[in-house]
Amino acid sequence: MPPGRTGRQVSHRGRHCMVDNARLYTAPEAPLPILVSGFGPKAAELAGRIGDGFVSMTPDAELVAAFRRSGGAGKKVVGGVKVCWSSDREKAVDVVHRLWPTELLPGELAQILPTPAHFEQASELVTREMVAKAVTCGDEVEEHVETVRAYARAGFDEVYVGQIGPDQEMFFDAYRELILPALRR
């Protein structure tokens, strides 16, 4: 059994990463699937060749097709999206702008910033208007349903929806009582 699945402490110096003194305290009985996250066609193709699945935060059918063509046929495609459920849409936009502006950083900026201070500085590039346009905020059921359906239309197998902000219970209640039943129709 590889040392990473024994519960022993492991260090690794590889071509792409280094790990010092890692330990998996609850070792799985079988190998865990490796899902590869990607934001462009090259990453999707690589995920199809080497991964057990593909993860993307954009409901892009072309990325899913590139993944499937490159060896991902029959493998899982998982999406993730952040929303802010609230009875007050303007308040929800403010919450997202305050707590999660990094969601809208341009290009690869979020992948290369080295420290939290750099993220704070770069977040100043994100305007409230950008948040209002890009993130599903408020309590309009059809907007939330459409946000999730976009992933289904693009060929995703699973979609994980995360609430930005403190109203977690209200979010779960709304999705259980309103959004999921609407998606099933």
Side-chain angles (χ1 to χ4, degrees), residues 42-124:
K42 289 181 181 178
E45 291 169 4
L46 177 66
R49 287 194 313 273
I50 68 168
D52 297 317
F54 178 53
V55 178
S56 181
M57 302 300 122
T58 305
D60 186 329
E62 291 180 26
L63 290 181
V64 174
F67 167 74
R68 300 269 188 234
R69 277 192 311 271
S70 300
K75 297 178 183 177
K76 187 182 294 191
V77 177
V78 177
V81 64
K82 304 269 191 301
V83 302
C84 188
W85 181 273
S86 172
S87 59
D88 183 336
R89 184 178 192 287
E90 296 307 310
K91 178 183 167 192
V93 170
D94 289 338
V95 167
V96 175
H97 187 245
R98 181 173 50 85
L99 297 178
W100 212 267
T102 56
E103 179 85 358
L104 298 174
L105 288 177
E108 296 177 5
L109 197 54
Q111 283 76 47
I112 62 170
L113 294 173
T115 68
H118 290 101
F119 276 89
E120 286 179 26
Q121 293 166 9
S123 291
E124 292 177 15

Side-chain angles (χ1 to χ4, degrees), residues 5-179:
R5 286 188 273 156
T6 62
R8 294 186 320 212
Q9 211 168 42
V10 176
S11 294
H12 172 78
R13 300 258 184 277
R15 180 174 164 206
H16 299 289
C17 70
M18 296 184 309
V19 178
D20 288 318
N21 302 312
R23 180 176 178 199
L24 189 57
Y25 287 87
T26 305
E29 292 183 22
L32 298 175
I34 306 291
L35 279 64
V36 178
S37 178
F39 300 99
K42 289 181 181 178
E45 291 169 4
L46 177 66
R49 287 194 313 273
I50 68 168
D52 297 317
F54 178 53
V55 178
S56 181
M57 302 300 122
T58 305
D60 186 329
E62 291 180 26
L63 290 181
V64 174
F67 167 74
R68 300 269 188 234
R69 277 192 311 271
S70 300
K75 297 178 183 177
K76 187 182 294 191
V77 177
V78 177
V81 64
K82 304 269 191 301
V83 302
C84 188
W85 181 273
S86 172
S87 59
D88 183 336
R89 184 178 192 287
E90 296 307 310
K91 178 183 167 192
V93 170
D94 289 338
V95 167
V96 175
H97 187 245
R98 181 173 50 85
L99 297 178
W100 212 267
T102 56
E103 179 85 358
L104 298 174
L105 288 177
E108 296 177 5
L109 197 54
Q111 283 76 47
I112 62 170
L113 294 173
T115 68
H118 290 101
F119 276 89
E120 286 179 26
Q121 293 166 9
S123 291
E124 292 177 15
L125 298 170
V126 178
T127 67
R128 188 182 182 287
E129 291 72 28
M130 291 166 68
V131 169
K133 185 177 177 183
V135 180
T136 303
C137 293
D139 63 357
E140 290 294 323
V141 170
E142 205 46 48
E143 285 182 37
H144 285 264
V145 168
E146 181 53 33
T147 295
V148 176
R149 278 197 180 131
Y151 287 86
R153 280 194 304 274
F156 284 70
D157 300 302
E158 296 177 9
V159 180
Y160 292 85
V161 181
Q163 165 77 351
I164 298 172
D167 296 323
Q168 298 294 315
E169 192 169 329
M170 185 170 52
F171 161 77
F172 282 114
D173 289 346
Y175 266 69
R176 180 181 57 253
E177 295 167 13
L178 301 170
I179 307 306

